[in-house]
């Protein structure tokens, strides 16, 4: 089973939010007027539903995301915890884990990528409008999303090479091949390559800096 953020991760974020001194640690200076994020003011709290997968059950967990406002120009910014990817309900760990599972096996199909020991994780409480299990098309969409984080990947790669100039990462990235059966268009091929590169860069980044590229770097690159 690919990893997931835990209920404890989500509760820990909520506890941080509820303490009065929540600070925008993950945010860069305002891109519009360069005011440092330490001067940002809390603008709003938004409750968000996350899905975590525990023993094949997809459970909903809730926590607040904090929106900050720049006092210089009024622009607002969401502070994302490292388990959150904008507009996604599943956690970063599940999204990258299931995507990697599909990409790293030559013969894996989307259908197989959601199956663990013969069945797909199912929702604890399903709504009439929701699917009852994790759908193969969801993995397809996650890869599309992760394939867009090219600026984040480029910046992470620069940091990695500064830290470890003799790293094998460039060789690993250059060697990537996507089996032809996995795409019909060049655009999809590019998304698959970008996503696989992200998975590799994330693994090197975690090993080198003991943190995810989604903790600060992706926010600094505006999730692009
Ligand atoms: Zn500003």
């Amino acid at each position: 089973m690919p990893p997931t953020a835990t209920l404890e991760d989500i509760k820990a974020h909520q506890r941080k939010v509820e303490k009065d001194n929540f600070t925008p640690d993950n945010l860069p200076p305002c891109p519009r007027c360069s005011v440092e994020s330490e001067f940002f003011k809390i603008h709003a709290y938004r409750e968000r539903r996350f899905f975590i997968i525990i023993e094949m059950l997809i459970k909903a967990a809730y926590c607040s995301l904090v929106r900050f406002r720049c006092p210089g120009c009024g622009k607002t910014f969401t502070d994302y915890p490292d388990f959150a990817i904008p507009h996604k309900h599943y956690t970063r760990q599940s999204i990258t884990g299931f995507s990697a599972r599909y990409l790293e096996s030559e013969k894996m199909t989307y259908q197989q990528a959601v199956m663990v020991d013969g069945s797909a994780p199912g929702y604890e409480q399903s709504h009439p409008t929701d699917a009852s299990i994790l759908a193969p098309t969801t993995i397809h969409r996650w890869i599309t999303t992760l394939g867009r984080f090219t600026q984040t990947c480029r910046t992470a790669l620069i940091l990695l090479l500064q830290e470890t100039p003799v790293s094998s990462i460039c060789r690993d990235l250059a060697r990537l091949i996507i089996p032809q059966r996995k795409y019909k268009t060049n655009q999809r091929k590019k998304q698959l390559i970008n996503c696989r590169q992200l998975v590799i860069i994330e693994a090197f980044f975690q090993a080198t800096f003991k943190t995810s590229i989604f903790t600060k770097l992706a926010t600094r690159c505006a999730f692009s």
Side-chain angles (χ1 to χ4, degrees):
M1 167 70 76
T4 179
T6 62
L7 187 57
E8 191 40 50
D9 294 333
I10 292 169
K11 281 184 177 166
H13 180 70
Q14 186 61 27
R15 279 196 299 272
K16 249 171 87 180
V17 170
E18 284 169 5
K19 277 191 193 159
D20 266 349
N21 54 353
F22 188 82
T23 50
D25 295 338
N26 288 340
L27 292 175
C30 177
R32 232 193 241 165
C33 66
S34 308
V35 167
E36 289 292 336
S37 62
E38 62 185 293
F39 300 110
F40 290 2
K41 302 276 178 265
I42 290 179
H43 174 65
Y45 298 91
R46 297 247 168 85
E47 191 178 56
R48 276 279 307 270
R49 178 178 64 166
F50 289 95
F51 287 133
I52 53 177
I53 307 175
I54 299 168
E55 294 176 354
M56 299 298 285
L57 265 186
I58 303 166
K59 300 183 183 214
Y62 295 82
C63 74
S64 303
L65 298 188
V66 183
R67 244 180 125 64
F68 286 92
R69 186 169 40 80
C70 168
C73 68
K75 192 172 163 59
T76 58
F77 308 90
T78 302
D79 184 282
Y80 288 97
D82 79 337
F83 56 80
I85 292 180
H87 313 298
K88 297 286 164 215
H89 287 294
Y90 283 84
T91 63
R92 178 259 306 171
Q93 290 87 336
S94 296
I95 292 171
T96 51
F98 276 97
S99 300
R101 195 163 186 245
Y102 170 77
L103 289 164
E104 283 167 358
S105 156
E106 197 177 315
K107 293 194 174 134
M108 182 80 75
T109 63
Y110 288 107
Q111 184 66 50
Q112 289 163 343
V114 295
M115 303 294 272
V116 182
D117 298 331
S119 62
Y123 290 90
E124 188 177 44
Q125 294 164 314
S126 64
H127 302 282
T129 50
D130 290 346
S132 58
I133 55 165
L134 178 59
T137 50
T138 302
I139 315 282
H140 187 283
R141 282 202 306 276
W142 287 347
I143 289 173
T144 309
T145 299
L146 294 179
R148 289 195 195 113
F149 295 143
T150 49
Q151 181 62 35
T152 304
C153 284
R154 265 198 300 274
T155 312
L157 191 55
I158 291 168
L159 293 172
L160 281 168
L161 292 174
Q162 279 168 356
E163 186 72 14
T164 322
V166 290
S167 170
S168 66
I169 189 166
C170 290
R171 210 167 53 226
D172 291 1
L173 293 176
R175 259 202 222 127
L176 284 182
I177 296 168
I178 304 290
Q180 225 170 346
R181 67 165 74 88
K182 295 205 174 194
Y183 60 88
K184 290 200 182 75
T185 64
N186 270 336
Q187 189 198 10
R188 187 62 184 165
K189 181 184 179 186
K190 189 86 188 108
Q191 289 168 346
L192 295 169
I193 289 176
N194 287 351
C195 184
R196 248 199 112 178
Q197 289 187 339
L198 178 140
V199 169
I200 291 174
I201 290 169
E202 166 76 344
F204 271 88
F205 203 84
Q206 294 253 16
T208 307
F209 299 113
K210 314 293 175 219
T211 187
S212 164
I213 57 173
F214 287 99
T215 305
K216 280 186 180 174
L217 192 67
T219 303
R220 273 156 206 272
C221 296
F223 291 97
S224 63

